[in-house]
Every structure is written in structure tokens, then in C-alpha cells.
Amino acid sequence: MTDLHITNDAPAYDRSALKPRILHLGFGAFGRAHPMWFLDRGLDAVGGDWGVIAARLHSGAEALSALDAAEGRYHVTAADGESALVRRIACVIGSLHPRRDGPDALPDLIASETLEVVLLTVTEKGYCQAGGRLDTGRDDIAADLSGAAAPTTAVGLLAEGLRRRCAAGAGPITLVSCDNMPGNGDILRQVVLDYAAALDPALPAWIEANASFPNSMVDRITPALDAEGRALIEQAAGGADPNGIVTEPFLQWVLEDHFAGARPPFAEGGAELVADVTPYEEMKLRMLNGAHSFLAHAGRLAGHETVAEATDDDVLRAAAQKLMLEEQAATLDMPDGVDVPGYAAALIARFGNTRLRHRLDQIAQDTSQKMPQRLFVPAGLNAAAGRDWPLTALAIASWIAALRDLPPVADPRQEALRAAAAGADPVRAVLSLDGLAEAPEVLIPAVQPAFDAITNRGILAALKEAL
């Protein structure tokens, strides 16, 4: 038991009115805690029939069946060190999984006239892209395009569903990426169009005329659930909930108001609708995600396991603040009224939330996919402007040192990265890997001495010298 002040919140809308109007692909912890929260609150505010079908493509069939057994209801516990708000989510009305329900279930749903919105949380890897275009050299994409079996990738599934929707004469549809990528809607649009062109030369024109792909910026720290989290859910919800999730109180969704058809009540539930999400996206990627990646590697080198532990370290906390305010913020061009120092202060407070137990090795996963937009791009912008970027250099160097010195974490390029980091010249070898850094020669002169400082004096001493 904990001494948290607990507030319970339950939906008041008419659940019997809900229809399958939204498909959520990749329905995991973040999907439960973020877009469903906004939708559920929006339905409370204005009502409607926007029901959700939750779907996974590969793993997770058992979890979806458990959700069905609870009639789609589950609890989201938004907790910090003092209080918890428990919201019972009720907008999910069913689930689909190709291994459980057959390969036609998902594309047929996409083709149905009732469905109007597809949400995606499939991680960066799920877009099967290289340089913003479909990576046709991938084995899974090649297998999907061969037509030998039903598509297994999210891109292939969407294109096939849109092909069937076109043939059925169904109405417009909006596809919203909720993954943490810059220009996520633009990337989704391009890979779907690329795949569609290979599937049917006439299909891209129909997609261009009938589908929209708004960019969005999402934010809510939602770590993998552990035993402490499950105990908190049981206490807060008044009983065990195998479908529940623990998250932080803060949440943000900035979404371009570019829907092909009707718009679900996301804004009524708290989402911000804007004409251009880019400035908000860059602020989040560089300040929050950049600081997260810094703490993931520097914190593990310092012996910490969670974000809260790393943030409680005076040196790491001061370094994260300086990284955000003096280096990352300098690369931003925000609309009037955005309080960047206040945003940085809020991030530090969020990082220190001891209830989340957000593991650093979880954040460190797939860093090769995240490092360019989080740290390489702002480093290049600062270098081009003649500004120093010592903390960014130490953040990049700590990643290379972690590749060399710490146990491996999941990354699609893990073998090549660790081999490069184990060589005689780790900085140059890692940063020069194909497709990683656009301009390694810009990065190396600053990253090399930072790496040497970490190697010779340790991460905390190296950071103290930069503060």
C-alpha cells in the first residue's frame, strides 16, 4: 500500500452508442495511456459514436484477448510521488489480430465504410523506411510485395486495406501516426504511397484524393509495467486489472487539423489542433527526447537504472538542464507564447517522477534510429551557427562508450554498432557507419575529446568539467 492521494474518474458517455470508427494499430502501453485517454475524455465532453478496434500485428494476441474478456475496459493510473488519477477507459469496443482472427480481418475493417480513422503506434521500425521512402530492400517488405501471403507489415496491411476500400467505394479516411518521429504523417504517407504504387499503379492517385496523413506530436512517458506498477493499479482501481497501465500525469498531443473526413473528439479531450506541428515536434524531440537519450547512456554509465535515479544525481540533472536550455533550445524557432524555459523545468520535474520507474535500458533501445533527430541534427545546427555544444558532444560520446562498455540493448544495427565501438577508433567508426550521421566530420572533432574524457576520467567527472 502507498500513501498516495487517489482520485477515480469514470466515463459518463453512452458506451452502447459506440461503433467501430477508429482502428488503432500497435495497441500497446502508450496507445492505452495516450490517444485513448484523449478520446475517452472527448467522448465525455461531447458524446459521439467513436468506438475503437484495438489491433496488433505480431505479438500481443493474448493481451488483446484479455482486453476482450474485460469488454475493452481498463484503467490508466496517472501517478507521481504524491497523487494518482485513475481513469477507467471504455472507448475500446473490440480487437483484431491476424493470427487469431485471420489475415483478412484487418484489411476488411480498413475497407469498411464505418471506419474513418486509423491510429498507429508501431514504433519507428514499423514504417519500414529509409530516407523517408519505403525500404524495398527489407525482407519483410519484399515478402509482402511478392503476394505469396497476406501482408505482415503495417505498411503492407494499410496499403492492402486501402486497395480494398477503393474497390468498395468507401469514403475518405485519415491515418494518424502517433509514433515519435519528425514528420511522422509525411513519412507514413510516403511509404504507403510507395507500397501502393507497387501493388496497383492506379492506387496512389485514389489515396491522394481520399486519404490524409496529418503529422502529430505525442508526449506521455509510459514505461513498461512492472510488479510495483501492477500493485499500484490494484490499489488505485480497487482490484487487479491485467489490462491496466501506469503513466505520468503530464500528457500532450499536438495534431495537425487535416482530416479527410469527420474528426473524432480528440481536441475536446485536450489535444491541440494546429496548422503546423513542426515547431512543437522539434522542441519535444530535441529537449525531451534528446535529454532522455543523454540520461539513458550517461545514466547507465554512472550506474543508475531509472530516469528518476539519474535525475536525482546532481551532476546528471544539471547536465540535462544545461543541454536543454543552452544547446537544444538555441536550435528552436517556436511560436510566440511558448515558454521554453518553463518546458525544460517541467521536463526535469517529470524525469524525477519516482512512481514511473522508467528504465534507462528501455529508453536506450533502438538508439541508432533516434540519435540523428535527437542529437545529431541540433549538433549540426549549433556547429553551423558557430555555437559550442559540449553537452551534446558528451551525450553522443556516452552512447558510444555505452556501446563499448555496457551490456547490449535491442537495436536493429546492434551488431555493426558494437563492432565499431570495439575497434581502435570507436568515435570515427560508429559515426561513419552508413546511413547513421549525415555529416560525421562535423561531429567527430567535438565528440572525440568528449569520448576521451569519459574514457579517461569517467562520465561524471567529464560532465562536471562541462558544467
Side-chain angles (χ1 to χ4, degrees):
M1 299 290 287
T2 72
D3 57 358
L4 285 178
H5 175 70
I6 296 172
T7 303
N8 283 277
D9 188 21
Y13 56 84
D14 179 8
R15 193 169 188 261
S16 67
L18 301 183
K19 300 175 182 178
R21 297 187 69 186
I22 300 174
L23 168 63
H24 188 131
L25 284 180
F27 192 78
F30 185 78
R32 295 168 193 252
H34 187 274
M36 296 302 99
W37 180 286
F38 282 99
L39 178 61
D40 215 62
R41 299 293 290 267
L43 288 169
D44 257 359
V46 298
D49 60 357
W50 291 92
V52 178
I53 302 298
R56 300 282 295 269
L57 295 182
H58 303 292
S59 62
E62 296 81 5
L64 291 177
S65 294
L67 187 63
D68 288 339
E71 297 182 330
R73 296 179 174 91
Y74 63 94
H75 294 86
V76 175
T77 301
D80 56 22
E82 299 178 353
S83 63
L85 171 62
V86 187
R87 170 80 182 185
R88 181 162 59 86
I89 304 295
C91 57
V92 178
I93 59 173
S95 75
L96 289 174
H97 195 289
R99 295 179 184 172
R100 187 192 68 187
D101 303 300
D104 290 322
L106 282 168
D108 282 350
L109 177 61
I110 294 170
S112 68
E113 190 170 1
T114 303
L115 194 83
E116 294 193 59
V117 173
V118 179
L119 303 175
L120 288 91
T121 49
V122 295
T123 78
E124 295 96 326
K125 292 182 293 186
Y127 293 79
C128 304
Q129 60 96 17
R133 302 300 297 263
L134 183 69
D135 185 358
T136 55
R138 291 174 55 116
D139 290 343
D140 50 0
I141 290 295
D144 280 5
L145 286 172
S146 74
T152 62
T153 64
V155 178
L157 172 76
L158 290 172
E160 173 59 21
L162 292 172
R163 186 190 68 78
R164 297 186 189 189
R165 189 177 186 90
C166 173
I173 188 168
T174 301
L175 297 89
V176 182
S177 169
C178 300
D179 283 299
N180 190 29
M181 300 185 302
N184 51 17
D186 296 335
I187 291 172
L188 176 60
R189 171 186 172 276
Q190 191 59 60
V191 295
V192 168
L193 287 174
D194 287 346
Y195 190 104
L199 192 65
D200 177 353
L203 184 56
W206 183 90
I207 293 173
E208 293 272 34
N210 293 276
S212 66
F213 301 82
N215 292 302
S216 75
M217 186 277 278
V218 297
D219 190 5
R220 192 173 212 183
I221 298 170
T222 306
L225 193 63
D226 58 13
E228 183 178 336
R230 283 187 284 271
L232 177 58
I233 291 171
E234 183 170 359
Q235 177 192 354
D241 181 0
N243 303 299
I245 195 70
V246 175
T247 187
E248 64 170 336
F250 181 92
L251 77 165
Q252 186 179 23
W253 193 3
V254 184
L255 176 62
E256 290 177 350
D257 192 7
H258 177 45
F259 282 74
R263 175 173 55 78
F266 297 138
E268 292 79 0
E272 303 170 63
L273 296 179
V274 299
D276 182 8
V277 79
T278 303
Y280 302 90
E281 186 178 70
E282 291 178 346
M283 182 174 69
K284 190 238 179 174
L285 279 167
R286 295 175 191 175
M287 295 184 69
L288 186 151
N289 299 127
H292 249 176
S293 288
F294 161 67
L295 291 172
H297 304 298
R300 289 187 302 135
L301 288 171
H304 301 300
E305 293 185 357
T306 68
V307 177
E309 289 175 9
T311 306
D312 194 46
D313 185 308
D314 291 342
V315 175
L316 289 169
R317 183 175 63 254
Q321 287 176 316
K322 185 172 181 179
L323 170 67
M324 288 190 286
L325 287 174
E326 297 187 14
E327 298 182 23
Q328 304 287 61
T331 69
L332 301 174
D333 183 14
M334 299 304 300
D336 292 341
V338 177
D339 181 4
V340 174
Y343 181 68
L347 291 180
I348 293 297
R350 293 168 63 195
F351 292 168
N353 187 342
T354 57
R355 293 290 174 186
L356 294 183
R357 288 200 57 78
H358 200 179
R359 294 187 58 84
L360 296 173
D361 55 8
Q362 179 191 3
I363 298 169
Q365 293 178 4
D366 303 328
T367 293
S368 68
Q369 311 292 298
K370 303 169 181 174
M371 190 65 73
Q373 63 265 30
R374 295 183 180 189
L375 292 166
F376 293 171
V377 167
L381 291 171
N382 278 324
R387 296 186 293 260
D388 292 334
W389 41 283
L391 271 302
T392 309
L394 281 162
I396 297 169
S398 68
W399 171 51
I400 299 171
L403 286 170
R404 181 191 62 183
D405 299 336
L406 298 180
V409 294
D411 191 292
R413 304 189 67 177
Q414 181 185 123
E415 185 175 340
L417 288 165
R418 292 182 69 83
D425 190 355
V427 171
R428 182 170 295 276
V430 170
L431 295 180
S432 298
L433 287 172
D434 287 343
L436 188 60
E438 286 190 5
E441 295 303 326
V442 172
L443 302 177
I444 291 170
V447 176
Q448 185 63 60
F451 180 82
D452 293 340
I454 294 171
T455 300
N456 296 329
R457 295 185 289 282
I459 184 62
L460 294 180
L463 290 171
K464 284 181 181 178
E465 293 175 358
L467 293 175

